[in-house]
Amino acid sequence: QVQLVESGGGLVEAGGSLKLSCATSGGTFSSYAIGWFRQAPGKERDFVASIGWNPSNTYYEDSVKGRFTISRDNSKNTVYLQMNSLKPEDTAVYYCAWGPWPARETNEYDFWGQGTQVTVSS
């Protein structure tokens, strides 16, 4: 069974930065894509970014392009999401998920972490 554990969330002022981590276990990490999603209160869970088994394959939702960077370290079975120039509208619970490349929809992903809260104050 694949397990994913997010960490790195917290409270930050607008314009600040956070780096989220998604540690995985129980699967062949280097063969699958990892996606980051976020869910604000009362809203649906939305795609943020994804990275394929080949780290050069990445995709970003338009609102985070140029501010967020997704990367992976296959030796550590971990994916990162560096978030810069954070805005209050980035406030949400952030989830990582395990699935095929180039999945963008929640129902395409097979396994999910428990989420980590990111709060950006204005």
Side-chain angles (χ1 to χ4, degrees), residues 51-122:
I51 187 166
W53 65 268
N54 182 337
S56 65
N57 292 334
T58 59
Y59 189 82
Y60 298 91
E61 189 270 327
D62 285 347
S63 70
V64 307
K65 285 181 180 177
R67 299 189 299 124
F68 291 11
T69 302
I70 191 170
S71 61
R72 68 190 293 159
D73 185 339
N74 287 342
S75 69
K76 297 182 179 180
N77 293 349
T78 300
V79 168
Y80 306 97
L81 186 68
Q82 177 67 47
M83 306 186 296
N84 299 329
S85 302
L86 282 162
K87 304 175 182 180
E89 51 263 45
D90 295 318
T91 295
V93 177
Y94 283 69
Y95 299 88
C96 63
W98 171 292
W101 174 264
R104 308 278 186 271
E105 304 295 330
T106 56
N107 61 8
E108 295 181 279
Y109 284 83
D110 301 309
F111 302 99
W112 292 81
Q114 83 290 346
T116 185
Q117 177 70 47
V118 171
T119 303
V120 184
S121 64
S122 57

